[in-house]
Amino acid sequence: MSRARVPLLAWLAALVAAAAIAAGARYTADLSAFLPRSPSPAQQLLVDQLREGAVGRVMLLAIEGGDAASRAAASRALAERLRADARFAYVANGAAGSTERERRLLVEHRYLLSPAVTPERFSAGGLREAIVDNLDTVASSAGGLAQALLARDPTGEVARLAEARMAGSAPPLSREGVWASRDGERAVLLARTAAGGADTDGQAAAMAAARAAFDAGSASGLRLRMSGAGVFAVQSRATMKQEVARVAALGMALVAVLLLAAYRSPAALAFGLLPVLSGALAGVAAVALGFGVVHGITLGFGITLIGEAVDYAVYLFVQTAAPQDAQARRAAWLAEFWPTIRLGVLTSLAGFGALLLSGFPGLAQLGLYSVCGLAAAALFTRFVLPSLLPAAFHVRDLSPFGVHLARLCAAAPRWRGVVTLLVIAAAVVLLAKRDALWASSLSVLSTLSEEEQAYDGRLRADLGAPDARYLVVAEGNDAQEALRAAERVGTALQPLVAQGVIAGFDSPATYLPSEATQGARAASLPPLRELRARLERALRGLPLRAARLEAFVADVAKVHAGARLQRADLEGTGLGVALDALLLPRAGRWLAVLPLRGPPSGGGFIDTGQAREALLGSGAEFLDLKAEADALYAAYLGEAIALSAAGVAVVLLLLMIALRSAARVGRVAAPLGAAVLVTAALLAAAGEPLTLLHLVGFLLVVAVGSNYALFFEHAAAQGPPAPRVLASLALANATTVVGFGVLASSHVPVLRALGVTVATGTLLALAFAALLAGARGDAR
Amino acid sequence: MAPRLERLLGVVLLAWAAAAPAAPSWDVERLLAGFAQTREARASFVERKTVRVLERPLVSSGELRFAAPDRLEKRTLRPRPELLVLDGDRLTLERGERRLQLDLRSYPEVAAFVQSIRGTLAGDREALERAYQLALEGDAASWALTLVPRTPAMSDLVARVRIAGRHAEISVVEIVHANGDRSLMSVQRLPGAR
């Protein structure tokens, strides 16, 4: 008795420990799952941009419903509240006066900011040319601003600056004085959160703050919608949580109903779910210990463990079901069938173990979870469960049902040709679709609906917010060095703008020129006495007297006196926010980020070859974030395929060692290979590109299906399996198909992919195992 | 951005009013009715901008075209070519290689201003009276209509607009800004209009 208690106590202790670890674990749905373990510099930049950069911090807000006036009022109230909220670094809604500080800064520091300020421009001839040009502008229909500033800015520097800033980007429309969508039906706002895009809790808090501010300050009948990378992360996590909870509850309930119908015993049901519980807890605890954080995808996958872990108890209960000598039967079962199940478990562990080596943390987590979960469930079933069961415990004998199945199996040989035909057809489909078989974009793993993505695209277009796909990144030891590097990149990019390869670009040096550049511009301005003399000469014959331009001379004097634009001057303005997004410290160095705008004629796409060529030798790096992300995904996928192939090789090796016969290994492997092939072909024929999650699904098909095939192979020597074994296989498969069928009903693509693959694949695996085993039995 | 646009719009409206020939009969009602009948018009213009800082006015000249119901072109030829088109709510300005396009609905005060002038051209005296105080001087042979905005927001755009003409023809449109700068546009109707 005490010997039997040792595993039981060990199990209880492990269960408590695992539950404690799982309860204390950190759960996330952010991009960390996609951050490679040893990223290239470009990948690191990509992930940094998404996690900490401006891309992840941008929140787009839209107010819908009501009329334009009430939307505008709500926009003003919302912006006012959010500006006072520490969770938001910046809020813009286009309201008049909200950009007054920016305008003042531009006017005040125009000679330091304008690239047009050169010694030539401030020679007598250069001044004359600039003033004549500016007077032409004053005379024109667009002369308003130039006219208002004429005495202070006779060379039209402010107008040039404003124009340079607007080049290539259209300002949002306004209705009732605030920004609105192109169709005028939404008021739109642009905000930057204090929290980074990867700080999902921080993003969730910002969203809640926005919602509360909106509810407090808007008329009824209006709705608030938010979008952006951070918002998506929050929504993904919520969707994942909700879906996982829903699918797990529904799957569990259906499996329970099925088992209850089969066992006719609530106690048996409870005992049968214990391996699942043990496995799931062990898996989560292992991932929490191994990775420090548990990803939502892993958790979603957790419910799938039901699929295989529940089978172990099914085999134990159904194959030993009889009222007499229950305990003796279980002992006999352990002796006869456990080696078969153990081999099945080992093949599963080999398959999933391969994923542990993946550089994709999401996949490595799945691997660890599965290996630990399955091992725990199997160990529990073997060493703990039998001693937990009361001596007289038994479930309903499913032999009568098994006898029906045996009759079907006997008829199977006549249909074995079907398998061959299906495999050939599958091979043809896969060959025909070989180029479009695998999804090439990371977006296939997204939980976002197409509607949400389209809405985000519309809001970005409304607000003129770039999607920041193309970036140039330059580095420096300090902020000044990075700014100087950005200025060199800007010079290298100018020809591309002129050629129309890019529509324009943004640079931190536009907002804050380096001290060196500011110094050079200041040195371009002549001393005051000289300036006055040059003005006299420049204005000869023009309707402007130098005496009228004392405000201009005074502004130049301020620059001579050493006035420089500092980072602190921009604090709290839209310019400062823009600068912070483009000039960032990283690991003791500073990065300057220059987002490029694609030409509108090319649909916003940039000829990356030309861009790279222009930047050759500048020390800066050109990045196509989408291509980079897709390449990252493709690398993961390629690696996962290779690892899966390695896993299959290990499985075959294992079978070879255990079965000691190539023919027997073939008998186990054939139905599994056929099931995977036909499932893949069905997915391809349905137009569903295969993703990482389908691949994981195939591994699960092999893991679950290997048990079926092994049972058939185990029995092959004595003819078809016993009716009880057949019944247990049918029940085990039914629970798997039901559990994964529920998963297939999810609208989250990753869960659906897994569900469809495994439900289809395991059903086929069982059918093929029966058909092929029967075929050989007949042949013998 | 905003001040530049407002002034720009002032000029558009001035040009618009100038492009429409006056009706033959003499009184505000008939004047407006005459505007409403205009389907198309062409005119040459000379514009003198008086800016306080400058010693003498800046002069520009070119051609105006109006097509009912709401299209207006102001083509400046001197000192520098420029094309300004107001078509419905869309305002386009082309100058050299630069092209600026704006949606009038983004600027409600300006849009109100435009709407009131459209009311004028459509013969909608009520709309005009809602936005401006109207004062008519002289007689049919030499008349002058002065429009003074009623709301402060519009006064910031324009202090007053004075349109003068002889019989059916508008000859002068003057816009006076709040800071005293002014623009005087002399208009000469060209043949080919209906």
Side-chain angles (χ1 to χ4, degrees), chain A residues 55 58 60 169 190 460-461 463-469 506 595-597:
Chain A
V55 182
V58 169
L60 312 167
S169 66
L190 182 69
R460 274 176 204 283
L463 284 162
D467 61 3
R469 169 172 177 174
D506 212 358
L596 309 186
R597 286 188 293 274

Side-chain angles (χ1 to χ4, degrees), chain A residues 52-374:
Chain A
E52 294 300 327
V55 182
R57 286 174 200 259
V58 169
M59 186 187 278
L60 312 167
L61 301 106
I63 298 168
E64 301 177 334
D67 57 16
S70 63
R71 287 194 297 268
S75 167
R76 288 195 173 87
L78 180 60
E80 192 183 328
R81 278 165 199 270
L82 295 187
R83 283 190 189 114
D85 193 315
R87 282 162 289 201
F88 287 86
Y90 174 71
V91 181
N93 68 340
S98 64
T99 55
E100 186 50 32
R101 265 190 74 193
E102 280 87 345
R103 211 183 64 85
R104 265 212 314 273
L105 275 171
L106 288 188
V107 172
E108 202 174 318
H109 296 287
R110 61 190 180 279
Y111 297 118
L112 301 170
L113 284 167
S114 173
V117 173
T118 58
E120 296 75 53
R121 191 168 168 84
F122 281 81
S123 66
L127 281 170
R128 185 181 175 83
E129 198 179 315
I131 291 170
V132 166
D133 190 68
N134 193 36
L135 288 180
D136 278 354
T137 307
V138 172
S140 83
S141 306
L145 180 63
Q147 191 174 334
L149 285 171
L150 189 56
R152 210 179 153 188
D153 180 24
T155 57
E157 224 58 67
V158 173
R160 274 172 170 260
L161 264 181
E163 228 162 68
R165 260 152 221 281
M166 280 177 64
S169 66
L173 284 191
S174 287
R175 290 283 180 284
E176 304 284 335
V178 299
W179 286 339
S181 60
R182 297 270 173 253
D183 61 5
E185 294 303 309
R186 294 185 298 267
V188 291
L189 300 91
L190 182 69
R192 262 195 65 186
T193 56
D199 176 3
T200 314
D201 291 333
Q203 290 288 336
M207 282 176 75
R211 185 141 323 268
F214 174 76
D215 289 343
S218 61
S220 61
L222 296 180
R223 295 180 304 279
L224 177 69
R225 252 189 103 159
M226 288 170 265
S227 196
V231 172
F232 287 160
V234 174
Q235 285 171 346
S236 295
R237 184 170 70 172
T239 307
M240 209 64 172
K241 260 189 194 164
Q242 210 181 329
E243 272 298 284
V244 165
R246 183 185 77 84
V247 172
L250 190 57
M252 271 291 197
L254 287 176
V255 168
V257 166
L258 199 64
L259 292 179
L260 208 53
Y263 296 157
R264 304 270 165 90
S265 153
L269 174 64
F271 283 122
L273 291 180
L274 278 180
V276 182
L277 177 73
S278 312
L281 271 179
V284 171
V287 170
L289 285 179
F291 290 84
V293 60
V294 182
H295 199 274
I297 292 180
T298 314
L299 221 51
F301 187 72
I303 50 181
T304 66
L305 204 64
I306 303 168
E308 190 169 359
V310 95
D311 293 357
Y312 301 147
V314 168
Y315 297 142
L316 172 62
F317 295 171
V318 175
Q319 293 174 9
T320 62
Q324 308 86 21
D325 307 324
Q327 241 171 343
R329 280 170 177 278
R330 282 195 281 276
W333 178 83
L334 283 179
E336 184 183 356
F337 289 106
W338 180 251
T340 303
I341 293 179
R342 187 179 55 204
L343 187 54
V345 171
L346 287 176
T347 58
S348 302
L349 295 188
F352 285 113
L355 293 186
L356 275 173
L357 301 175
S358 173
F360 176 22
L363 219 48
Q365 279 203 6
L366 287 192
L368 184 62
Y369 180 91
S370 310
V371 165
C372 294
L374 286 181

Side-chain angles (χ1 to χ4, degrees), chain A residues 258-259 262-263 307-321 333 337 340-341 395-406 409 704 707-712 714-715 721-737 766:
Chain A
L258 199 64
L259 292 179
Y263 296 157
E308 190 169 359
V310 95
D311 293 357
Y312 301 147
V314 168
Y315 297 142
L316 172 62
F317 295 171
V318 175
Q319 293 174 9
T320 62
W333 178 83
F337 289 106
T340 303
I341 293 179
V395 298
R396 189 162 68 102
D397 188 358
L398 295 177
S399 295
F401 173 55
V403 170
H404 282 293
L405 293 174
C409 279
V704 175
N707 289 322
Y708 309 156
L710 283 167
F711 273 117
F712 275 98
H714 174 76
R724 269 198 199 115
V725 172
L726 284 177
S728 73
L729 290 176
L731 182 59
N733 184 237
T735 58
T736 305
V737 171
L766 181 61

Side-chain angles (χ1 to χ4, degrees), chain A residues 449-466:
Chain A
S449 68
E450 270 175 33
E451 196 271 337
E452 284 167 321
Q453 289 181 36
Y455 192 83
D456 186 67
R458 277 206 301 279
L459 273 186
R460 274 176 204 283
D462 289 341
L463 284 162

Side-chain angles (χ1 to χ4, degrees), chain A residues 563-578:
Chain A
R564 292 290 179 272
L565 183 60
Q566 311 282 345
R567 205 185 162 98
D569 295 330
L570 304 177
E571 205 72 47
T573 69
L575 303 175
V577 168

